[in-house]
């Protein structure tokens, strides 16, 4: 049987950074994300008899990516009893592994496609838990709009639920470099856990932020949403930068954009920045201020591209098979 899934990347407003139990990606804190309509992965998966195959953007996947794929597959087989081999072909419409959550949409699409192609009955929560094994943030992919990943205590209880449906928020994804990041987030968070003096405190603070952001999202209090999001990004990078020998994902343009957003805030324009394990900056802004913010960012020479995204549909089944 064959299935094709289109999955949106997601952007963490409250960040995941580190695990209580690393092997299964059971995190130290809950996190909250928004689905991104313009950043999509398409994955076609078919059960067949030949050996397992994974092709990403036209090339076979090897190394860390392949190991994680095998790990998800092993668990899927264990959980469902399905033993057939699989062929997976997957494409992203945005730069892979550059800090815009390609692993989230990639593993989200893969987990969803495995269940869909198997013909078994399944729930969103099962897809979420399976996706988490490939990449923690992938647990939040399946839901349209805003998702809440409950850290839980084991494989079954660590999954995401939908928090709020899509609305008219815009997210400007500024690409400052299309290159792959030097260190994957899963490796970097392990190193942070071992060596940043602020690692545990950041996780506690993130958990403390959860009820405030939840309330703000449900009431649509954009100023509070933006303030918490920006604070979370700052806390995340404080931990990353204080990891043994310092890890630096930012480049000069990343810093220039942060300054620009702060200037816009001072001039009364509600827009807020956030960054993940990469040099790109994502800016939250409501539709009525998009033009002003885009115009201001266009003055920064080194921005390669700005993707103006809406709130996405999570992941869904389509008939547009890739093979
Ligand atoms: O899911 P991973 O292992 O790619 O880690 C994601 C980490 C951040 O993007 C920095 C934060 C998050 O919650 O998405």
């Amino acid at each position: 049987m064959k299935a094709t899934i289109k999955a949106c990347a997601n952007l963490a407003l409250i960040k995941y950074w580190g695990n209580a139990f690393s092997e299964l990606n059971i995190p130290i804190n809950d996190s909250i994300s928004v689905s991104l309509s313009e950043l999509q992965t398409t994955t076609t998966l078919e059960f067949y008899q030949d050996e397992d195959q994974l092709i990403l953007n036209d090339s076979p996947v090897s190394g860390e990516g392949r190991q994680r794929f095998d790990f998800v597959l092993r668990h899927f087989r264990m959980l469902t009893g399905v033993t057939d081999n699989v062929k997976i072909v997957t494409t992203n419409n945005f730069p892979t592994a550059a800090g815009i959550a390609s692993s989230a949409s990639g593993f989200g699409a893969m987990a969803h496609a495995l269940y869909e192609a198997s013909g078994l009955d399944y729930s969103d929560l099962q897809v979420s838990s399976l996706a988490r094994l490939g990449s923690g943030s992938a647990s939040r992919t399946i839901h349209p709009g805003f998702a809440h990943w409950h850290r839980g205590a084991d494989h079954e209880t660590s999954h995401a639920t939908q928090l709020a449906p899509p609305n008219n928020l815009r997210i400007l994804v500024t690409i400052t470099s299309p290159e792959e990041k030097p260190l994957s987030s899963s490796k970097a968070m392990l190193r942070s856990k071992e060596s940043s003096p602020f690692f545990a405190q950041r996780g506690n603070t993130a958990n403390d932020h959860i009820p405030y952001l939840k309330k703000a999202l449900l009431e649509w209090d954009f100023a509070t949403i933006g303030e918490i999001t920006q604070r979370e990004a700052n806390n995340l990078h404080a931990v990353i930068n204080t990891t043994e020998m310092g890890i630096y994902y930012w480049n000069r343009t990343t810093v220039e954009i942060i300054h620009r957003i702060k200037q816009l805030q001072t001039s009364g324009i509600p827009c807020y920045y956030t960054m993940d394990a990469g040099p790109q900056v994502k800016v939250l802004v409501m539709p009525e201020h998009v033009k002003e913010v885009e115009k201001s960012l266009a003055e920064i020479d080194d921005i390669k591209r700005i993707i103006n995204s809406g709130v996405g549909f999570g992941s869904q089944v389509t008939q547009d098979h890739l093979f």
Side-chain angles (χ1 to χ4, degrees):
M1 289 236 272
K2 189 187 268 190
T4 298
I5 301 292
K6 267 196 198 308
C8 298
N10 71 72
L11 168 67
L13 308 180
I14 291 188
K15 307 293 188 188
Y16 155 58
W17 195 254
N19 294 313
F21 181 39
S22 289
E23 201 195 339
L24 296 182
N25 288 340
I26 311 285
I28 58 167
N29 63 272
D30 286 24
S31 55
I32 290 178
S33 62
V34 57
S35 179
L36 299 174
S37 63
E38 299 309 304
L39 303 182
Q40 293 181 10
T41 295
T42 304
T43 294
T44 297
L45 181 149
E46 184 170 32
F47 286 103
Y48 73 161
Q49 299 310 321
D50 262 349
E51 63 185 31
D52 291 332
Q53 250 196 87
L54 173 60
I55 295 161
L56 169 62
N57 296 335
D58 296 326
S59 311
V61 176
S62 56
E64 194 184 337
R66 175 69 199 213
Q67 281 169 14
R68 291 206 261 160
F69 159 77
D70 288 337
F71 185 68
V72 173
L73 214 50
R74 256 201 324 278
H75 272 265
F76 176 74
R77 289 178 175 139
M78 230 157 58
L79 291 163
T80 60
V82 173
T83 52
D84 288 354
N85 287 344
V86 291
K87 177 175 178 183
I88 302 184
V89 175
T90 187
T91 59
N92 293 331
N93 72 348
F94 57 92
T96 300
I100 47 175
S102 58
S103 64
S105 52
F107 284 106
M110 176 187 167
H112 198 167
L114 277 167
Y115 274 109
E116 180 65 23
S118 72
L120 299 167
D121 283 339
Y122 63 94
S123 69
D124 287 359
L125 299 187
Q126 282 169 305
V127 173
S128 170
S129 286
L130 184 68
R132 191 201 71 243
L133 297 171
S135 157
S137 55
S139 65
R140 301 180 307 236
T141 293
I142 191 166
H143 301 295
F146 298 82
H148 177 180
W149 175 13
H150 310 265
R151 60 189 182 281
D154 55 22
H155 178 71
E156 278 70 32
T157 55
S158 187
H159 53 229
T161 53
Q162 191 193 36
L163 188 56
N167 65 5
N168 62 352
L169 172 71
R170 303 305 301 182
I171 305 99
L172 303 180
V173 180
T174 64
I175 310 287
T176 64
S177 161
E179 268 147 44
E180 290 212 7
K181 57 193 169 198
L183 187 63
S184 71
S185 21
S186 35
K187 285 202 173 124
M189 60 181 81
L190 267 174
R191 279 180 48 188
S192 292
K193 187 176 179 182
E194 284 161 9
S195 60
S196 168
F198 308 123
F199 176 83
Q201 181 57 54
R202 191 215 63 85
N204 293 338
T205 305
N207 278 328
D208 292 344
H209 283 155
I210 293 281
Y212 294 101
L213 183 61
K214 238 169 123 170
K215 182 166 181 288
L217 283 171
L218 295 172
E219 293 168 356
W220 202 254
D221 169 0
F222 186 53
T224 303
I225 294 166
E227 278 164 30
I228 296 177
T229 299
Q230 207 166 288
R231 203 175 322 142
E232 276 286 319
N234 293 336
N235 291 354
L236 171 70
H237 285 275
V239 168
I240 291 175
N241 296 345
T242 51
T243 292
E244 184 198 10
M245 298 301 285
I247 299 173
Y248 295 95
Y249 284 116
W250 298 357
N251 58 35
R252 216 185 305 173
T253 317
T254 314
V255 179
E256 210 175 327
I257 298 169
I258 294 171
H259 284 293
R260 181 58 63 100
I261 297 302
K262 288 180 92 59
Q263 277 165 12
L264 288 167
Q265 287 168 357
T266 308
S267 67
I269 297 173
C271 56
Y272 304 90
Y273 64 78
T274 183
M275 295 79 55
D276 294 294
Q280 331 302 359
V281 184
K282 295 90 172 186
V283 181
L284 305 187
V285 56
M286 294 307 284
E288 59 272 27
H289 294 293
V290 166
K291 280 223 166 69
E292 281 158 289
V293 175
E294 269 184 334
K295 189 163 162 260
S296 180
L297 291 175
E299 292 163 6
I300 301 176
D301 281 345
D302 287 338
I303 294 179
K304 305 280 181 283
R305 187 176 158 207
I306 298 179
I307 303 168
N308 178 344
S309 180
V311 179
F313 54 79
S315 72
Q316 54 186 221
V317 179
T318 110
Q319 297 311 315
D320 301 336
H321 301 307
L322 296 177
F323 65 88

